Amino acid sequence: MCFSRLRALWACAFISIVSVACPSRDAQSQSGRLADTPPMGWNSWNHFADKVTDADLRAAADAMVASGMRDAGYIYVNIDDGWEGQRDAQGNIHSNSKFPDMNALADYVHSKRLKLGIYSSPGPKTCGGYEGSYGHEQQDANTFATWGVDYLKYDLCSYMSIMKLHDPHQDPQKALAMMQAAYEKMHQALVSTHRPIVYSLCQYGVDSVWEWGPKVGGNLWRTTDDIRDTYRSMALIGFSQAGLEKYAGPGHWNDPDMLEVGNGGMTADQYRTQMSLWAILAAPLLAGNDLSKMDDPTKNILMNKEVIAVDQDRLGIQGTRIGLPQIWMKPLSGGAKAVALFNYVTDDEAEPMTLRLKDVGFSGPVHARDLWAHQDLGILHGSYTVTVPQGGVVMLRLWK
Ligand code: GLA
């Protein structure tokens, strides 16, 4: 074998070692800049589903500013499934007639000091049956970057049938490797656009995505199946997150799906439960209601700045359950702690619950503030007993 051929082979081997070894470093460098705290914003799916239009997006952006949501930290305005049109002869994706001009829409959103999110799938079709990115990953990433997109939700959907096609025996290891490769492929495509784009993995929490999400560049990953606007769905998802806390941190978050606050299927107490639990979980806070028609209770829940501060605490520690019935705690910067007491069984009456301070790591007296009543409670000694409404929550901030 001639020397130059040998050298070329070595170079090749080196490049392939590097390209196998590099993704996680790239992943971290992209993640490190993005989503230092859990992303906050709005997503079209829970209220508009695939009927969403350009006008709905603009109205959501307007309402985010007018209502004060932007100033409370909600920044991303995310289009979910239903924007996709056809590909042209060169394979470039176009939006459908409901979104006549994506560049203009992005300009509009950016002019409000907000950011734009979009949705696609590693499969040929999205979950709604629209065009996915399969075979066009780099092209779509480039298109999204050219449009001015700042956030991509990448939803597994029909990629599952590609996995089956390539491996009819469905070896779980092979399936996992294929899925990871598909997510990594889009991650690399996003990185090579040189535009910071938050990367949101959506594959419903299968194969313990929290263990490998950061390695394929994920800034957040769904941990469960889709949420619905019922207390049962929200509570099953939210209260099942205990144990995942070690996988979350700045740049990479567990995502128990979007908020349903304001969509009408739960009581105000139950929506306070979702907002509090998601904040304790350091979960992304993506509102999913019609922002142009919010009543005051909805605004007060979504814009409770004291609860948002728990979610967005710069330490980025996901809280967890520290006792049954549901008492949850999240460590905060400066040695403070957020504690939430949930009366989660809905057929119960409002009931007294007792928090023992030593159970959340305080040996002496602590200052306390009620984050929903917006009231200082003075100094607590030993324990605190409070009546928690049915399906509701009392949320405290405790500090020495
Ligand atoms: C899946 C996702 C949802 C939504 C729909 C869109 O079900 O989990 O969040 O994006 O697809 O079709």
Side-chain angles (χ1 to χ4, degrees):
M1 186 180 292
C2 77
F3 177 70
S4 60
R5 177 148 165 71
L6 196 62
R7 201 170 53 177
L9 274 178
W10 270 109
C12 244
F14 179 71
I15 287 164
S16 51
I17 290 167
V18 168
S19 62
V20 167
C22 277
S24 66
R25 220 175 39 203
D26 283 347
Q28 277 155 16
S29 66
Q30 153 123 335
S31 308
R33 292 196 319 267
L34 290 168
D36 270 351
T37 58
M40 290 178 67
W42 174 86
N43 172 294
S44 57
W45 185 253
N46 284 355
H47 182 80
F48 293 98
D50 67 353
K51 299 199 170 39
V52 64
T53 65
D54 175 283
D56 297 329
L57 253 288
R58 286 170 191 253
D62 292 346
M64 272 166 88
V65 177
S67 65
M69 280 181 75
R70 179 192 64 191
D71 295 339
Y74 294 85
I75 294 299
Y76 291 96
V77 188
N78 294 351
I79 317 171
D80 207 277
D81 208 356
W83 63 268
E84 308 89 336
Q86 301 303 315
R87 292 188 185 278
D88 62 22
Q90 285 72 46
N92 294 314
I93 185 124
H94 293 271
S95 49
N96 60 34
S97 59
K98 295 189 288 123
F99 289 88
D101 186 341
M102 283 297 199
N103 281 115
L105 178 58
D107 286 349
Y108 187 79
V109 168
H110 292 152
S111 76
K112 309 242 155 205
R113 288 191 285 119
L114 295 166
K115 291 175 185 280
L116 182 68
I118 208 161
Y119 168 98
S120 192
S121 169
K125 294 287 172 205
T126 67
C127 293
Y130 297 85
E131 193 67 19
S133 292
Y134 183 66
H136 296 273
E137 293 81 1
Q138 188 64 61
Q139 213 171 3
D140 286 1
N142 294 347
T143 301
F144 299 155
T146 310
W147 284 345
V149 162
D150 308 292
Y151 183 117
L152 172 68
K153 173 174 168 183
Y154 207 43
D155 193 350
L156 192 65
C157 305
S158 70
Y159 192 74
M160 280 186 275
S161 51
I162 301 288
M163 284 155 60
K164 271 189 207 148
L165 210 65
H166 284 262
D167 179 25
H169 304 298
Q170 293 184 54
D171 171 353
Q173 287 310 317
K174 282 191 193 155
L176 174 60
M178 275 190 78
M179 181 165 46
Q180 290 173 333
Y183 277 100
E184 173 60 18
K185 190 171 198 175
M186 181 51 94
H187 169 235
Q188 289 303 330
L190 293 175
V191 168
S192 65
T193 68
H194 301 294
R195 184 178 175 84
I197 297 179
V198 170
Y199 190 31
S200 158
L201 314 188
C202 177
Q203 45 76 280
Y204 337 113
V206 299
D207 285 316
S208 305
V209 60
W210 39 86
E211 288 175 357
W212 50 268
K215 280 193 243 147
V216 298
N219 297 114
L220 59 156
W221 45 83
R222 279 270 297 278
T223 54
T224 71
D225 215 334
D226 293 14
I227 197 165
R228 280 172 297 111
D229 185 23
T230 65
Y231 182 74
R232 183 184 157 76
S233 166
M234 182 277 291
L236 277 172
I237 287 177
F239 291 124
S240 70
Q241 301 298 298
L244 296 186
E245 55 277 2
K246 67 173 184 235
Y247 300 102
H252 52 99
W253 307 101
N254 289 310
D255 172 12
D257 210 354
M258 298 169 289
L259 298 173
E260 290 285 8
V261 178
N263 277 333
M266 292 182 237
T267 66
D269 275 321
Q270 293 169 345
Y271 284 139
R272 274 189 277 276
T273 286
Q274 183 177 27
M275 190 73 188
S276 307
L277 187 49
W278 265 233
I280 290 277
L281 292 170
L285 296 178
L286 294 172
N289 56 318
D290 182 352
L291 301 183
S292 63
K293 298 191 183 75
M294 282 194 284
D295 57 15
D296 284 341
T298 301
K299 287 185 190 166
N300 291 338
I301 295 170
L302 287 174
M303 286 186 277
N304 182 328
K305 292 189 181 161
E306 299 190 75
V307 172
I308 290 172
V310 170
D311 181 78
Q312 296 287 303
D313 184 83
R314 64 183 164 77
L315 287 186
I317 300 176
Q318 177 172 331
T320 196
R321 182 167 49 220
I322 52 108
L324 285 170
Q326 306 281 349
I327 299 179
W328 290 61
M329 187 274 286
K330 179 185 199 285
L332 303 174
S333 42
K337 287 177 178 166
V339 174
L341 299 96
F342 298 98
N343 178 3
Y344 78 112
V345 185
T346 46
D347 54 5
D348 270 356
E349 297 296 306
E351 62 172 60
M353 292 178 71
T354 297
L355 168 71
R356 289 181 307 177
L357 296 179
K358 70 174 171 37
D359 291 347
V360 288
F362 287 113
S363 48
V366 293
H367 297 271
R369 182 167 171 84
D370 184 321
L371 303 187
W372 285 108
H374 302 295
Q375 264 173 14
D376 284 333
L377 302 174
I379 309 273
L380 306 184
H381 299 268
S383 67
Y384 179 63
T385 298
V386 64
T387 299
V388 185
Q390 190 183 42
V393 59
V394 168
M395 192 166 178
L396 307 174
R397 179 183 165 89
L398 305 175
W399 69 101
K400 280 214 166 147

